[in-house]
Amino acid sequence: MDCQQIIDLGKEHVMHTYARLPMALVEGSGSWVWDSEGNKYLDFVTGLAVTSLGHSHPEIVAVIREQAAKMLHSSNLYWIPNQVKLAEMLTANSFADKAFFCNSGAEANEGAIKLARKYAKEHYGAHKYKIVSLKNSFHGRTLAALAATGQPKYHKGFEPLPPGFAYVEMDNIEELNAVVDENTAAVFVEPIQGEGGVNPVSPEFMQKIKELCDRNQALLVLDEVQCGLGRTGRLFAHEWLDVKPDIMTLAKALGNGVPIGAVLATDKVAASFRPGDHASTFGGNHLSTAVACKVLEIMTAPGFLSEVEAKGKYFQSKLQDLAVKHGFEGRVRGLGLMVGLPVGEKGPDIVNNCCEQGLLINCVGGTTLRFLPPLTVSKEEIDQALEILDKAFKL
Ligand SMILES: Cc1ncc(COP(=O)(O)O)c(C=O)c1O
């Protein structure tokens, strides 16, 4: 099928939920992808922070082959060796003691909402069910994750949403004080808002949230679905913020493209989930957990994360130079290789121009360019992207 045939067939048979670019990607290797017409692109989108180790990473390919030939799935009716190993690796590298596995970010947040409510109800009573999140946040598209998402445009048309959700403006301590109270089960925070425009939470605001959680016996839940797993140059973004959550959710990069999500929690909190409380047919199956173990092994190898940090600093400072050169008022935001640049209304045109020049980037909120290159990107590839951006910024 050529590109037009793919598009025509897609329009006829695929639900129209995405505003897609008129192209189909069919192959990838490292930081590069090819479309159905044979055009080559430098991939600074990585499937939205998913293929963090690049496309067709040889070690990931080998694990998939080996595991597929052995066993893909057996069900959580039985123990799954790779799942146990992955839980051990994730807890050894984080605040957490226990893990639950699912298939996506939204599903991980649904699990976290359920766990937080069950814990709050068991320890403090039926009144304690409110989930507080930040305005402009993004926690997923299933109904409770959507209710936790602090962007009314995503709620529209799907009301009534599940009750018991409230929102606080970033950095508004007065509002935070007013909303987090004795009825609050948990506060959900992305350490760096992704879909909201690459907005890092300041250490001061995070400390204030933690303080209010402690005072009101509410749990702190960090959504690291997008910013976690090496993206910022630390395994988890909250390591920059000197804060310990009670629950953390992961997905995206955990399987480098094989769907997997996770809910991590302390023993005390995790104890509120008992058999029958929560489940997922595919969650943590043999294949996805084999891959995720390999992803974590690669990311935690000596030098990997410090290199991400160094490449992030290099890219951010060069991008800031370009922003100044082209007269953009906004500053580069983000940490490591999760980078945003506000460019105003020109955003979508810059994205299209970059695509024509062979660089994939995307634009959030219509005005902020978002860069999510593979963590394995080379300095030369960063320079190539900067050259293309320099031309695109002339628009
Ligand atoms: C921070 C955050 N949480 C949750 C989600 C939802 O993840 P998924 O699309 O895998 O359901 C996303 C997706 O972009 C996200 O960025």
Side-chain angles (χ1 to χ4, degrees):
M1 278 195 287
D2 69 18
C3 185
Q4 199 52 54
Q5 286 170 318
I6 296 167
I7 292 170
D8 290 345
L9 204 60
K11 282 189 175 163
E12 202 177 332
H13 297 294
V14 179
M15 282 199 199
H16 191 47
T17 59
Y18 303 101
R20 302 178 200 255
L21 293 169
M23 59 196 278
L25 300 176
V26 294
E27 214 178 309
S29 175
S31 306
W32 298 88
V33 290
W34 285 262
D35 69 15
S36 55
E37 313 304 289
N39 301 307
K40 185 181 176 184
Y41 305 86
L42 186 50
D43 183 7
F44 271 39
V45 174
T46 53
L48 295 171
V50 170
T51 51
S52 280
L53 300 179
H55 297 274
S56 308
H57 189 293
E59 289 181 67
I60 303 286
V61 172
V63 168
I64 293 174
R65 285 215 167 103
E66 195 183 316
Q67 191 58 51
K70 210 165 159 190
M71 176 173 262
L72 291 176
H73 182 89
S74 63
S75 152
N76 285 300
L77 287 172
Y78 316 101
W79 286 99
I80 298 169
N82 298 332
Q83 185 186 115
V84 174
K85 185 175 161 206
L86 178 61
E88 199 268 331
M89 288 173 90
L90 283 168
T91 54
N93 283 287
S94 72
F95 70 95
D97 304 303
K98 294 275 197 295
F100 172 86
F101 295 104
C102 53
N103 307 285
S104 69
E107 198 188 346
N109 284 329
E110 291 282 329
I113 292 165
K114 281 179 69 178
L115 179 58
R117 283 197 169 161
K118 185 100 192 301
Y119 174 87
K121 201 164 265 198
E122 274 183 359
H123 287 80
Y124 305 105
H127 66 284
K128 200 169 175 68
Y129 60 82
K130 183 162 64 172
I131 304 289
V132 176
S133 59
L134 296 190
K135 289 175 184 169
N136 215 25
S137 58
F138 188 86
H139 298 292
R141 303 288 194 151
T142 53
L143 281 173
L146 189 63
T149 291
Q151 300 193 57
K153 69 177 181 195
Y154 291 128
H155 296 172
K156 229 170 146 215
F158 302 108
E159 302 90 346
L161 294 176
F165 290 81
Y167 316 96
V168 170
E169 193 182 13
M170 176 100 82
D171 290 331
N172 189 333
I173 289 174
E174 204 177 313
E175 199 170 34
L176 187 72
N177 273 319
V179 174
V180 179
D181 58 17
E182 72 280 4
N183 299 324
T184 304
V187 180
F188 272 62
V189 185
E190 295 160 83
I192 304 177
Q193 290 183 341
E195 299 303 307
V198 192
N199 305 311
V201 173
S202 71
E204 297 75 30
F205 194 56
M206 186 59 96
Q207 287 310 321
K208 195 71 204 167
I209 292 171
K210 177 71 180 145
E211 202 182 295
L212 277 172
C213 282
D214 290 347
R215 195 183 310 154
N216 291 286
Q217 287 147 331
L219 301 177
L220 176 62
V221 183
L222 295 183
D223 177 343
E224 294 231 11
V225 165
Q226 185 165 153
C227 63
L229 293 158
R231 180 62 41 202
T232 65
R234 300 269 167 93
L235 192 56
F236 303 113
H238 71 267
E239 292 171 30
W240 294 102
L241 291 166
D242 195 24
V243 71
K244 254 195 196 169
D246 302 287
I247 300 176
M248 173 169 67
T249 54
L250 300 173
K252 291 190 182 275
L254 188 54
N256 207 55
V258 174
I260 180 167
V263 182
L264 304 188
T266 59
D267 259 334
K268 184 166 182 238
V269 173
S272 288
F273 265 172
R274 284 180 284 280
D277 279 342
H278 199 53
S280 175
T281 296
F282 295 123
N285 81 7
H286 296 259
L287 178 72
S288 62
T289 51
V291 174
C293 285
K294 181 54 78 178
V295 167
L296 275 183
E297 189 190 307
I298 294 170
M299 285 186 180
T300 53
F304 184 90
L305 293 170
S306 54
E307 230 179 84
V308 173
E309 190 185 348
K311 288 185 287 195
K313 277 192 181 137
Y314 177 76
F315 179 51
Q316 288 193 39
S317 86
K318 293 283 179 187
L319 186 63
Q320 184 60 46
D321 291 347
L322 280 188
V324 171
K325 175 178 164 187
H326 291 279
F328 294 127
E329 282 169 19
R331 288 193 64 78
V332 169
R333 297 195 290 257
L335 267 174
L337 289 171
M338 181 168 180
V339 180
L341 175 66
V343 293
E345 305 296 309
K346 281 177 158 186
D349 289 339
I350 294 174
V351 170
N352 288 333
N353 183 274
C354 284
C355 186
E356 281 164 22
Q357 294 190 66
L359 171 68
L360 301 183
I361 58 170
N362 97 316
C363 179
V364 273
T367 56
T368 299
L369 300 180
R370 178 173 49 171
F371 305 92
L372 298 163
L375 307 182
T376 48
V377 71
S378 69
K379 188 170 163 288
E380 292 69 34
E381 288 164 342
I382 291 175
D383 287 337
Q384 278 173 274
L386 289 163
E387 246 175 69
I388 292 173
L389 287 166
D390 191 16
K391 289 189 201 131
F393 287 170
K394 289 194 183 111
L395 278 178

